[in-house]
Amino acid sequence: MTRAVVVGAGIGGLATAIAFRSAEVPAIVVERAQELKRLEVGAGITLWPNAVRLLERLGVAQEVYAKGSVLDRFEQRTSRGRLLAAWPLDDMASRLGAPVVGINRPDLHAALTSAGSDSVQTGSEVVSFEEGDGSVTVVLSDDRTVSGDVLIAADGIDSVIRAQLLGKEDPRYSGLTMWRANVQLDETDMPAVPFLAFWGPAAKFVAYRAGPGLLSWEGVIASEPGGHDPAGQAKRAALKRFASWCDPVTPIIEATDEAAIFRTDVSDRPPADRWGSGRVTLLGDAAHPMTFAVGQGAAQALEDAVVIADVLEGDGDPVAALRSYEERRMARTAHFQTMAWRLARIGVLRRAPARVARGAFIKGTSRLGRRMQEKDMAVEI
């Protein structure tokens, strides 16, 4: 029976632990954070039907439904409010067998923690790995070691394991930065449409319900890397940047507490030619970090988790199983990485002719885009 060591207890790592338990693959998850509840921070996340179906398969969907909000309609508009496209997400849910859900990212992590934390060893920072004859060992910062038959790195975009395996290389900066926040609102103050995207000059604004009385928003702008707002001035900066945009953009920002707003640069990595070697492989953001633009970062990590558990179930060759996992996953995740990069970049076009062309493209290809989205979501893992 294959014994697995998983590095990282984020969404991908915990989902892998849950999937391994169902597949009867013994596993230990090593996580550098002292407390899992402090591991995931941030605002909301959208879970498309492929992600929700897998959460149902992992047995955590009911908690996700309770903490999140089902999104039954998605509208894209210009910064002045003109409708470009409307997607009836309830129809998509009927065809694909699961809805689109908005949820606070820490709430999603908490749902996975409740089901997968039994195998997690916190306070364990990995510094390197060593592969021997028939086993692989991770070395921790306090000189302890943990060994298994395979090593799965789910330690994020700055993965220590990836750097040793593929070489250290900085992530690719997208040219974008984003303000993100959650805001508590009365039902009467919520936008009538549960999922909205506004496209404007060198900026994009997205808002969606992420739980009972909770709205999550993202304000994306073109920026040089390393930009920041003075202490206590993030809200003021966001209001200034989106001051001329239509409602409900400015009212949403105005209703948000300053302390709830944080700003991060947007980076990814290009699709890699390989993910692993020998008894080591990558998973989630360690393997295929992508921008926010297609809402598939967490979904693809969940797909990874289910597939790697499938290939490692039983008493087969673990090295061959890892290569099989990579073969099944690399092309699909590369598709989403590439699409997410391109869509993120067109979200902040500066020149008016390019923005007009973008609006016409979104409007003219709305049905095709929805069909392509459904086709991507319908893939059975």
Side-chain angles (χ1 to χ4, degrees):
M1 183 177 293
T2 300
R3 298 167 297 122
V5 179
V6 180
V7 179
I11 291 170
L14 287 174
T16 301
I18 298 168
F20 276 166
R21 185 175 60 210
S22 297
E24 298 184 348
V25 176
I28 183 170
V29 182
V30 289
E31 168 54 50
R32 66 180 179 180
Q34 295 291 338
E35 297 181 63
L36 290 182
K37 66 181 180 180
R38 296 185 178 181
L39 181 58
E40 286 288 350
V41 297
I45 183 172
T46 52
L47 301 170
W48 288 84
N50 60 323
V52 177
R53 286 201 310 271
L54 292 181
L55 291 170
E56 291 175 346
R57 188 165 162 181
L58 294 172
V60 299
Q62 290 307 309
E63 187 171 352
V64 169
Y65 287 137
K67 294 291 183 67
S69 291
V70 171
L71 309 177
D72 59 10
R73 184 175 175 83
F74 174 43
E75 288 186 1
Q76 301 185 72
R77 295 179 175 270
T78 68
S79 59
R80 295 185 177 183
R82 180 170 61 87
L83 181 66
L84 296 173
W87 289 9
L89 299 181
D90 49 354
D91 288 351
M92 180 185 293
S94 296
R95 285 189 287 271
L96 297 181
V100 180
V101 175
I103 190 171
N104 188 23
R105 191 178 185 94
D107 287 339
L108 171 61
H109 188 260
L112 293 166
T113 297
S114 66
S117 62
D118 290 350
S119 57
V120 178
Q121 178 179 298
T122 57
S124 302
E125 183 176 3
V126 173
V127 295
S128 64
F129 71 87
E130 300 170 356
E131 189 171 356
D133 184 17
S135 68
V136 61
T137 299
V138 293
V139 180
L140 307 180
S141 59
D142 57 5
D143 294 329
R144 289 180 295 135
T145 61
V146 180
S147 298
D149 298 308
V150 295
L151 170 60
I152 297 120
D155 50 342
I157 190 171
D158 294 314
S159 168
V160 171
I161 303 301
R162 179 186 175 119
Q164 182 177 339
L165 189 66
L166 303 183
K168 186 173 179 57
E169 187 175 1
D170 290 336
R172 175 175 61 173
Y173 180 57
S174 67
L176 313 175
T177 192
M178 63 192 303
W179 293 286
R180 291 185 287 170
N182 288 329
V183 55
Q184 292 284 343
L185 294 174
D186 292 335
E187 185 62 32
T188 55
D189 295 325
M190 283 282 188
V193 177
F195 190 1
L196 291 162
F198 298 90
W199 303 79
K204 182 181 180 183
F205 189 90
V206 177
Y208 53 90
R209 296 190 183 212
L214 189 68
L215 190 77
S216 187
W217 62 265
E218 305 163 358
V220 186
I221 62 171
S223 175
E224 294 299 317
H228 67 280
D229 303 312
Q233 297 297 308
K235 180 175 178 176
R236 180 178 180 181
L239 281 171
K240 181 178 179 180
R241 183 62 184 81
F242 293 98
S244 63
W245 289 42
C246 67
D247 287 348
V249 174
T250 299
I252 289 172
I253 300 173
E254 287 177 337
T256 307
D257 289 338
E258 170 69 36
I261 303 173
F262 61 99
R263 176 174 171 171
T264 54
D265 286 346
V266 179
S267 298
D268 76 345
R269 293 186 188 276
D273 293 331
R274 67 185 180 99
W275 288 1
S277 176
R279 295 176 177 270
V280 185
T281 195
L282 308 175
L283 182 145
D285 281 351
H288 47 74
M290 61 190 74
T291 76
F292 57 87
V294 293
Q296 282 294 305
Q300 293 309 299
L302 294 172
E303 290 187 4
D304 289 348
V306 170
V307 171
I308 203 164
D310 179 56
V311 300
L312 287 173
E313 187 173 13
D315 296 319
D317 178 0
V319 175
L322 295 188
R323 302 294 86 79
S324 174
Y325 153 74
E326 293 161 5
E327 183 178 359
R328 287 172 61 177
R329 296 296 301 145
M330 288 183 70
R332 179 164 168 82
T333 57
H335 163 71
F336 286 115
Q337 281 178 280
T338 301
M339 182 164 55
W341 175 263
R342 291 172 178 170
L343 288 177
R345 294 294 302 161
I346 70 168
V348 290
L349 296 174
R350 294 178 181 273
R351 297 181 180 276
R355 298 200 313 271
V356 170
R358 177 186 63 195
F361 176 80
I362 293 171
K363 189 170 185 177
T365 62
S366 176
R367 290 185 180 180
L368 175 61
R370 188 172 74 244
R371 287 198 297 269
M372 290 176 63
Q373 180 86 337
E374 290 188 13
K375 182 179 178 181
D376 281 339
M377 301 303 99
V379 172
E380 292 295 333
I381 299 301

